[in-house]
Amino acid sequence: MNLHTGAGRTIEAGRGRLGAGADAEVRSALSGLGAIYVSTWPQRLALGSAAGLTGAFLHLLTGEQLGGHFTYLTFYPGVAIAALFGGLIPGAAATLVSVLATHLWFTPLTRFDQVVGLAVFVVSSLAVSGAAEWTHRAWMRLGLAERALRQSEAQIRYFVENAPISIAMLDRAMTYVAVSRRWIDTYGLGRSDLLGWSHYSIHPDIPERWRAIQRQVLKGEFHSDDDDFWVDAEGRDHWVRWASYPWIDAAGEIGGLIIAAEEIAAQKLAEAALRESEEKFRNAFAEAAIGFVMARAGDTIVDANAAFCRLTGYSIGELRSMRLVDLVHPDDRPENLVLAAKLRSGEIPGYVIENRYLRKDGEAIWVRKSLSLTRDAGGERRWVVNLVEDVTERRRSEETAQRTVALLTAVLDGAKDAIISIDASGVVRLINATGLKMFGRRREEVVGKNLRLLIPDGDARLHDSDGASDLPGVDRIVGVGRETEGRRKGGALFPIDLAVVEVVVDHDRMFVGFVRDFSERRRIEGRIDQLAAQRLTAMGGMAGALAHELNQPLAAIGVYLETVRRMLARPPDERPARVEDALGLAIEQVMRMGDIINHLRDFVAHGEPDKTHQSLHALVREICSAEFPEGKRFRGAVALSLDAQNDDVLVDKIQIGQVLSNLLRNAREALPDSSTAQLTVSTSQAGADMVRCNVSDNGPGLADEVKEFLFEPLTSTKATGMGIGLSISKSIIEAHYGRIWAESDQRAGTTFSFTLPLATAEIEE
C-alpha cells in the first residue's frame, strides 16, 4: 500500500513543476525540436553542413559591406539554427563548414587579427552549441519524466482496479477516490461505480469501532485485523481480513486513507472443516485397533498410537528416540531398507510387506505393514505413515496349515494308487502325483476339468450329474471296488480298479476315488498264459531249432556223399580226387553236427557260451568256405572286405559260426537271379573295444512290415522258413555282449550287422 502513497506524491510533484498553463507549449516545442535531436548522426551532420553553407551564401551577398572583425557575422545565424535544432554535433559541423568556406573561398588566413577573429568565432560557436545540447538534454529528461509519470498513473490505476483483493482509496471526507473491481463487486451493494460516493452513505451501518479506527488512520496510524466479522446492510455475513493506512498528498499532508480487505469466509469454512478432520484423524489415530505410527522422512519416529505401543511393548517416549527400522528383526532389515530407500526417492508411492518385529521383551512377532510417504505443498518429503497389524496368529495358523497340507500331499503323492477328488458336478478338485503319472497328464490339465477326461464315456454315469447335488450311479459303487477302464493322455484305454468314498465338506457333497492301474497285472497274467503256452511248444521249438541248425551240415554231408557216389561211378584213374578226401569232409560235417547239438544243449542249460580266443577274419573265411564250397555253383559272387585292424575276439566259435552261416545263407537266398548278384562280408572297428561284421546283399530288401518283428521267433520272409534263425542269432550275439541289427533299402539290398567285444575288452572286464 506504500506504493499508492509514493505514486500520489510523484503525480502531484510532477504537476507542480510543469504548471498547468505551460503544458501545451512545452509539449509542442519538445515535439518539434526533439524530432531532429533524436535523428541519426549523419542527418545531424547534414543539418550542420547545410547551415554552414547558408552562412557562406549570405557572406557572398554582403561580404563587400562587411570586413575586418565582421568577417564571420553572416555565419552566426546558421550555427545558431543548427545548434538550436540539432545540438552540439550540428553546431560543430556548421562551425567547421563556416571556417573552411571563409578561408578557402573568401579571405585567406594570413594576418594575426584574422587568427584572433577565427578563435573568437570558434569559441563562441561551440559555446552556443554546448548550451543548446544541454537544453536539449534537459527537455528530453523533462519529457521522459512526464511520460513515466503518466505511465505510472495508468499502471497504478490498472493495478488498483484489477487487484485480486478489495482495495478502496478515500479522501479525508471518506469519499471514494479509487476502488478495485473486487471492492465494487463485494461492497458496492449492486452499484457499478463508487467514485464520488461517500463510504458512510453506502454503508451507514458500519460499526462504531470501525469509524473510530478510520478516524485514527486519518491521524496517521496503521490498523489491521486478520479475523474480523460484520454484517452488511443487506444482512450478509462477512468474515474479513483487512488493513487500513493513510495516503500522503503532494503537499506532504494526509490526503485520506486506503482500505485493503479480503473475504475469508471460504477459508474460515475450510479451517473449520480442517479442524473437524484433524479431530477425527486424531481420534482415529489414538483409538485405532491396529498400530499407527508416523515417522520423519529420515525414519525417526515422531508419534505412535496406543495400539502400536501395546504391540511393541515400548512407551511413546521410548519410540520417539528410535527409528522404524530399529523394530525390524535383523534378518528382515535388508529388504525393508531397500523398499524404504525406494519410497523416500519417490520410485514407489508406498508398499505393503510382512516381516518380523522384535518387541521390547525380545519376543519376535509377525506384522503386516502398509507404508506411504506424505509430502507438503512444495512437494518436499514430510512424513512416513505406517499402519501395522499383528499377524502372528494368522502366520502360525498358515504355517500349521501349510505343514498339514505338505504332510497330506506327501501321503497322497506317496500312495501307490491314484487318488482323485471330485465335486458333485463331476469336476476334478484334487489329484495326486501317482494319478498324474498314471494318466500321463499335468496337474493343470486335470484340475478344474470334468472327470470324463480320465474315465471313458461308458463310465461317465459315475461323475455326470443332471442336478447340482446328485450323482446318478454313485450310490451303487460308493464303498465298493469295481474294474473299469481309464483313458491316458494319448487316448489309450487301460484297465483300472476303482473304489469311491463319499465326503461332505461344509454341506457340499464330495467324492474321493482310489484308482489302481491293472495294466501290469494284466500283463503278468498274459505272460503267465504265454509261458504256459510256451511250455507246451518248448519241445517243438527245440526240435525246430535243432532242425534249423542241423540242416546246413546235413546238406553239406549230402553234397559230399553225392560227390563220393559220382566218383565211385568212374574208373579210379578218371576220378578228380580221392574218395577218402570227400569222405573225410563228410565226416567233419558229422562232427560239426555233434558239436552243434552239444553247444545248443549247454547254452539252453547254462545260458553262457564256451568262449575261446578266435580270429574273426579266420572264422569268416572258414564259414564262407563251408557255405560256398568249391565245385558248388550258385548265382552271384562273394566278396570279402576284412578291414578291421584288430579281429581278436573271445567267442564261442561254434555259436558265432552258426550266426555267420545263418546270415550268409539268408543273404544267398535273397540274391537276385542275375549276373549282378553280389554278396559281401566286411569287418571294421566299432570304437576302441568292439569289432563290427557286415553281411550285405543287393537283393530286393526287406518289407516295412517285417522290419519291426525281424528278430522275433516264428518270423520269416521265406515261404519255407521256420522263423527261428534270426531269433537264435540275436540270442547268441547278446550272450556275447554284442548287438545285431538290419538295415534295408529296396534299391540297394539288405545289410545285417553285428558287433562283438574285442578280447582285450573282455579281459579288462
Side-chain angles (χ1 to χ4, degrees):
M1 295 304 113
N2 292 334
L3 174 63
H4 298 298
T5 305
R9 288 199 298 269
T10 302
I11 294 172
E12 295 299 326
R15 288 176 178 171
R17 283 195 302 268
L18 290 176
D23 281 355
E25 291 79 359
V26 172
R27 290 193 184 93
S28 176
L30 286 175
S31 299
L33 297 179
I36 298 176
Y37 181 76
V38 297
S39 61
T40 61
W41 65 267
Q43 292 175 334
R44 298 170 69 186
L45 287 177
L47 172 63
S49 299
L53 292 175
T54 302
F57 179 74
L58 291 175
H59 187 80
L60 287 175
L61 296 178
T62 61
E64 294 181 357
Q65 288 80 18
L66 300 175
H69 296 294
F70 299 100
T71 302
Y72 298 100
L73 186 60
T74 59
F75 292 97
Y76 278 110
V79 172
I81 292 172
L84 178 62
F85 284 93
L88 179 62
I89 292 177
T95 301
L96 179 62
V97 171
S98 298
V99 171
L100 293 176
T102 299
H103 296 289
L104 291 178
W105 294 344
F106 306 118
T107 305
L109 187 65
T110 57
R111 299 191 311 273
F112 178 75
D113 60 334
Q114 292 176 330
V115 173
V116 172
L118 172 63
V120 171
F121 173 73
V122 170
V123 171
S124 59
S125 297
L126 292 178
V128 170
S129 299
E133 178 73 19
W134 180 87
T135 303
H136 271 290
R137 291 181 180 273
W139 286 348
M140 290 297 295
R141 286 195 297 272
L142 182 61
L144 291 174
E146 184 179 6
R147 185 173 62 181
L149 182 61
R150 290 195 301 270
Q151 184 178 2
S152 176
E153 286 179 337
Q155 289 175 344
I156 292 173
R157 187 179 300 108
Y158 181 83
F159 171 77
V160 170
E161 291 178 355
N162 296 278
I165 63 175
S166 301
I167 299 178
M169 186 175 183
L170 302 99
D171 60 14
R172 296 188 63 85
M174 295 302 292
T175 301
Y176 287 108
V177 176
V179 292
S180 67
R181 291 193 182 95
R182 179 64 63 85
W183 182 282
I184 294 174
D185 294 340
T186 306
Y187 307 113
L189 299 181
R191 294 174 177 81
S192 60
D193 189 9
L194 297 179
L195 297 180
W197 284 81
S198 171
H199 182 59
Y200 294 145
S201 65
I202 296 176
H203 299 288
D205 54 346
I206 288 180
E208 180 58 33
R209 60 184 180 86
W210 280 12
R211 293 174 183 264
I213 290 173
Q214 290 161 0
R215 287 193 294 269
Q216 294 172 358
V217 171
L218 290 175
K219 294 179 180 179
E221 297 182 8
F222 176 89
H223 287 268
S224 65
D225 195 331
D226 290 334
D227 191 4
D228 204 347
F229 176 78
W230 70 288
V231 181
D232 63 18
E234 296 181 351
R236 294 181 300 179
D237 295 341
H238 294 272
W239 284 98
V240 185
R241 178 188 297 116
W242 60 268
S244 184
Y245 48 89
W247 60 271
I248 309 301
D249 60 13
E253 301 294 333
I254 296 176
L257 59 83
I258 295 174
I259 302 175
E262 181 182 5
E263 290 286 323
I264 58 173
Q267 179 180 336
K268 296 292 290 184
L269 293 175
E271 289 176 353
L274 179 60
R275 285 193 298 272
E276 182 180 359
S277 176
E278 288 178 346
E279 185 65 24
K280 291 179 180 179
F281 173 78
R282 191 176 297 107
N283 293 335
F285 179 84
E287 303 300 331
I290 63 175
F292 200 146
V293 59
M294 294 183 65
R296 292 188 177 89
D299 207 33
T300 303
I301 296 175
V302 176
D303 201 1
N305 66 350
F308 190 81
C309 293
R310 291 192 300 270
L311 181 71
T312 60
Y314 291 98
S315 66
I316 184 61
E318 292 171 324
L319 288 172
R320 284 173 178 164
S321 64
M322 301 173 66
R323 299 176 303 160
L324 288 176
V325 73
D326 294 336
L327 297 168
V328 180
H329 192 283
D331 294 343
D332 299 338
R333 285 180 186 174
E335 183 180 7
N336 278 261
L337 291 173
V338 171
L339 291 173
K342 291 182 178 180
L343 179 66
R344 288 193 297 271
S345 66
E347 186 176 347
I348 56 176
Y351 64 92
V352 177
I353 187 175
E354 289 190 5
N355 59 241
R356 287 165 294 175
Y357 266 3
L358 285 179
R359 287 173 46 86
K360 184 178 180 179
D361 57 11
E363 179 188 359
I365 60 174
W366 278 97
V367 295
R368 185 178 189 271
K369 304 187 303 182
S370 177
L371 291 93
S372 59
L373 182 67
T374 62
R375 297 178 181 271
D376 58 19
E380 295 296 327
R381 301 186 302 271
R382 190 166 180 84
W383 307 110
V384 174
V385 180
N386 187 5
L387 297 177
V388 184
E389 180 183 2
D390 187 350
V391 295
T392 305
E393 291 302 321
R394 194 203 73 194
R395 294 282 298 204
R396 289 173 180 169
S397 300
E398 290 177 353
E399 290 174 358
T400 302
Q402 289 174 357
R403 287 194 297 268
T404 303
V405 170
L407 179 61
L408 291 176
T409 301
V411 171
L412 293 176
D413 289 344
K416 294 184 178 180
D417 295 337
I419 300 175
I420 306 172
S421 173
I422 63 173
D423 58 19
S425 60
V427 175
V428 177
R429 296 303 178 190
L430 179 145
I431 183 170
N432 66 345
T434 304
L436 296 174
K437 182 178 180 181
M438 180 183 298
F439 291 97
R441 293 186 176 275
R442 298 190 303 273
R443 193 175 303 277
E444 58 269 20
E445 295 177 338
V446 177
V447 176
K449 305 298 190 301
N450 195 281
L451 189 60
R452 182 180 286 110
L453 182 70
L454 306 178
I455 297 181
D457 293 340
D459 297 293
R461 66 181 185 276
L462 168 66
H463 46 77
D464 262 348
S465 174
D466 295 331
S469 61
D470 190 24
L471 290 178
V474 171
D475 293 338
R476 295 194 297 272
I477 64 170
V478 170
V480 180
R482 55 169 290 186
E483 292 189 16
T484 181
E485 288 184 328
R487 180 190 291 117
R488 301 192 196 277
K489 185 174 182 178
L493 299 177
F494 63 101
I496 60 173
D497 179 73
L498 174 64
V500 180
V501 296
E502 181 180 354
V503 181
V504 178
V505 180
D506 293 335
H507 307 290
D508 292 331
R509 195 179 182 193
M510 304 288 292
F511 299 91
V512 180
F514 299 87
V515 182
R516 178 169 296 177
D517 188 351
F518 271 8
S519 299
E520 183 65 17
R521 177 176 174 178
R522 293 286 186 267
R523 190 189 66 78
I524 293 173
E525 291 175 351
R527 180 60 177 164
I528 292 174
D529 294 340
Q530 182 181 4
L531 290 175
Q534 288 178 350
R535 292 185 64 185
L536 295 176
T537 59
M539 295 304 297
M542 180 62 72
L546 285 173
H548 182 274
E549 296 302 323
L550 296 178
N551 182 57
Q552 180 188 351
L554 286 174
I557 292 172
V559 171
Y560 294 140
L561 293 179
E562 177 63 23
T563 301
V564 171
R565 186 183 67 78
R566 292 182 179 181
M567 291 174 64
L568 291 176
R570 294 183 179 185
D573 54 347
E574 296 180 1
R575 297 172 184 169
R578 296 192 309 161
V579 175
E580 292 82 355
D581 294 336
L583 291 175
L585 293 174
I587 292 172
E588 288 180 2
Q589 293 300 317
V590 172
M591 298 299 294
R592 183 183 173 194
M593 289 173 60
D595 291 338
I596 289 173
I597 293 172
N598 291 332
H599 280 81
L600 184 59
R601 181 185 60 199
D602 293 340
F603 180 70
V604 172
H606 305 290
E608 284 292 330
D610 183 14
K611 297 179 181 180
T612 58
H613 280 276
Q614 298 291 332
S615 169
L616 180 61
H617 292 170
L619 185 57
V620 169
R621 293 188 182 95
E622 178 182 341
I623 299 302
C624 286
S625 298
E627 289 293 332
F628 307 103
E630 295 182 6
K632 183 177 180 180
R633 300 177 61 186
F634 76 99
R635 61 182 184 274
V638 178
L640 299 181
S641 179
L642 308 179
D643 298 329
Q645 296 180 355
N646 187 358
D647 68 331
D648 185 18
V649 292
L650 192 64
V651 297
D652 188 316
K653 178 180 179 181
I654 300 299
Q655 291 184 0
I656 299 303
Q658 289 178 260
V659 173
L660 284 169
S661 296
N662 186 54
L663 296 180
L664 289 171
R665 186 166 56 253
N666 289 342
R668 181 178 60 196
E669 294 174 355
L671 290 174
D673 190 7
S674 66
S675 59
T676 61
Q678 178 73 37
L679 190 153
T680 303
V681 181
S682 62
T683 61
S684 61
Q685 299 298 139
D689 300 329
M690 305 290 285
V691 63
R692 173 175 173 175
C693 181
N694 302 321
V695 179
S696 305
D697 64 72
N698 60 350
L702 299 172
D704 292 338
E705 60 271 12
V706 176
K707 292 180 182 179
E708 185 178 356
F709 310 102
L710 191 60
F711 293 96
E712 293 186 5
L714 307 179
T715 299
S716 177
T717 60
K718 298 177 289 186
T720 59
M722 299 180 63
I724 59 175
L726 290 177
S727 175
I728 294 175
S729 298
K730 182 174 183 294
S731 300
I732 292 173
I733 294 299
E734 290 178 349
H736 284 77
Y737 307 106
R739 187 170 69 91
I740 186 170
W741 70 96
E743 298 173 349
S744 180
D745 188 339
Q746 294 184 359
R747 295 174 297 178
T750 303
T751 298
F752 280 87
S753 304
F754 64 87
T755 57
L756 292 172
L758 294 171
T760 54
E762 291 277 357
I763 293 172
E764 291 175 359
E765 292 179 1

